[in-house]
Amino acid sequence: RWRVTDDLMIRASQSRNFRAPTLTQLFAPTNTVVSNAGVDPCDADRINSGPNPAVRRANCEAEWAANPAYGNLATFQDPAENFSVTTVTTGGNANLENEISDTTTFGFVYEPGFLPGLTLSVDRLEIDLTDGLVAFTTEDFMAACYDNVDQPVEMCSAFTRLAAPDGTNPAGTVVEGRTTTVNAGRITFEGEVISAQYLVPLEDVFTSFDPGQLTLGLEATHTSSLTTSVVGATEERTDNTADTPDWSGRFDAIWTRGPVRLTYQLSYLDDVVAEANATIESTPNPYLERNITHSISGAYEINADLTLRAGITNLTDEEPSYPSLSYGDILGRRYFVGANFRF
């Protein structure tokens, strides 16, 4: 840390970190369930998508050529994508290794003397992680198998296709799968974290009475790049998706006066694509609009031991961005009341 002036401080850090797998990730009991297999990369409507469509198509074509009973790849549709026909084995993975990351951060904290009460901080984060511990489903194993030039045995052996029709499902249906934690290769992240807080000088405007205290706060995260490379596969960009929007943030306004505290909160999620590599050809609704929700709450301190509180979450009853059920608030407008009592 370097205090350049009374107003400005510069800070930076460099670290090497590790995370060991948990006992659950290593030794969770084995369990078998019948479920769907998830998205099949070799489906006719999926084969030309993914991080490297040419590699995916070539690998699917090679497997279909080696297994003529699978039928015509150009019209193949795996029923296991939508129906529970796959026997999925879940459990731990005793072969897991530590994940390792090199992390660099640098930024500044600015408290301008000409605007007392304002604190602004901006930090850049750069993370290079290897052997990342990631929960893999059958869908993930299939993607890692078919999207990799050198198809890794540990990925391709985690699922099994039906060699011949069984009277219910066609040949090529994924009938066995796996769900477990794996060391999924390399993840790189680059982005910024922005934080600002301003104590509004209400007393300079309202001089004839006590106006209380108003604090404005902003927290925002910008993901400029997030790439994942699974065991040597082509790097896949997953920033600007529903899982990792380019911009997300929260704004707070908190007013306090005596025993009263009122809070307003705005949560923001940016426009994104529904999933990595989503296009109109591969996904019926590839784009999700930005999502903004508002919430209000209040608290009243009866005495040092008892505080009453109430509020409305998602004040405008904003739904998740169509057609997602998770990009936003699925529960809708709701109310709460409560009390905090110390004894």
Side-chain angles (χ1 to χ4, degrees):
R1 297 184 181 184
W2 178 28
R3 175 69 68 174
V4 182
T5 67
D6 290 340
D7 298 346
L8 178 65
M9 181 181 71
I10 296 176
R11 58 189 181 187
S13 68
Q14 175 72 48
S15 64
R16 185 169 179 83
N17 319 286
F18 76 93
R19 180 165 72 103
T22 65
L23 290 176
T24 299
Q25 291 171 329
L26 287 166
F27 306 118
T30 299
N31 185 35
T32 301
V33 297
V34 178
S35 180
N36 64 63
V39 171
D40 190 329
C42 294
D43 265 13
D45 56 349
R46 311 280 186 185
I47 195 169
N48 292 315
S49 57
N52 194 332
V55 170
R56 174 179 291 189
R57 171 172 280 280
N59 286 331
C60 291
E61 288 176 345
E63 182 167 346
W64 256 248
N67 297 273
Y70 288 1
N72 186 0
L73 180 60
T75 58
F76 176 73
Q77 294 290 328
D78 190 346
E81 183 170 320
N82 299 307
F83 299 99
S84 296
V85 299
T86 306
T87 301
V88 179
T89 301
T90 65
N93 181 356
N95 296 319
L96 292 175
E97 299 178 354
N98 293 346
E99 68 176 24
I100 304 294
S101 69
D102 292 306
T103 303
T104 302
T105 68
F106 53 91
F108 65 87
V109 178
Y110 185 51
E111 299 173 294
F114 63 84
L115 193 59
L118 175 64
T119 301
L120 172 66
S121 66
V122 179
D123 290 286
R124 169 78 171 182
L125 282 74
E126 298 179 354
I127 302 172
D128 188 348
L129 184 148
T130 57
D131 290 330
L133 294 166
V134 181
F136 256 42
T137 63
T138 304
E139 177 178 319
D140 299 314
F141 282 114
M142 288 193 288
C145 175
Y146 293 109
D147 292 337
N148 199 322
V149 176
D150 300 316
Q151 292 180 283
V153 175
E154 67 273 20
M155 297 295 167
C156 298
S157 62
F159 60 95
T160 303
R161 294 186 182 273
L162 193 62
D166 62 359
T168 303
N169 300 300
T173 301
V174 176
V175 290
E176 293 181 356
R178 184 89 167 96
T179 294
T180 190
T181 303
V182 298
N183 292 108
R186 181 178 179 181
I187 300 173
T188 59
F189 172 87
E190 296 179 359
E192 296 80 40
V193 177
I194 301 169
S195 176
Q197 187 176 70
Y198 181 48
L199 180 59
V200 182
L202 295 180
E203 65 279 3
D204 293 344
V205 179
F206 305 97
T207 57
S208 60
F209 64 95
D210 178 11
Q213 180 176 295
L214 176 62
T215 303
L216 306 180
L218 174 68
E219 298 282 345
T221 300
H222 175 231
T223 301
S224 55
S225 175
L226 177 60
T227 63
T228 304
S229 176
V230 180
V231 292
T234 303
E235 287 189 344
E236 181 176 35
R237 291 283 298 269
T238 53
D239 51 286
N240 192 37
T241 65
D243 291 332
T244 313
D246 278 358
W247 284 97
S248 62
R250 187 186 72 219
F251 171 78
D252 296 296
I254 303 173
W255 179 75
T256 58
R257 184 173 184 271
V260 178
R261 176 187 176 97
L262 301 177
T263 302
Y264 163 77
Q265 183 178 97
L266 178 150
S267 297
Y268 175 85
L269 296 172
D270 205 6
D271 297 312
V272 295
V273 294
E275 57 188 21
N277 307 301
T279 64
I280 194 63
E281 289 79 15
S282 64
T283 308
N285 298 95
Y287 306 110
L288 302 179
E289 293 185 350
R290 67 181 183 179
N291 194 279
I292 301 174
T293 57
H294 309 268
S295 300
I296 58 173
S297 64
Y300 185 80
E301 186 177 305
I302 303 295
N303 54 48
D305 297 325
L306 178 62
T307 300
L308 304 180
R309 51 188 170 79
I312 306 175
T313 302
N314 195 354
L315 177 66
T316 58
D317 199 23
E318 180 71 19
E319 297 179 353
S321 300
Y322 178 84
S324 169
L325 297 179
S326 58
Y327 198 66
D329 179 19
I330 189 62
L331 297 179
R333 183 189 298 117
R334 50 202 184 275
Y335 310 85
F336 68 88
V337 293
N340 292 345
F341 182 63
R342 290 191 294 269
F343 58 91

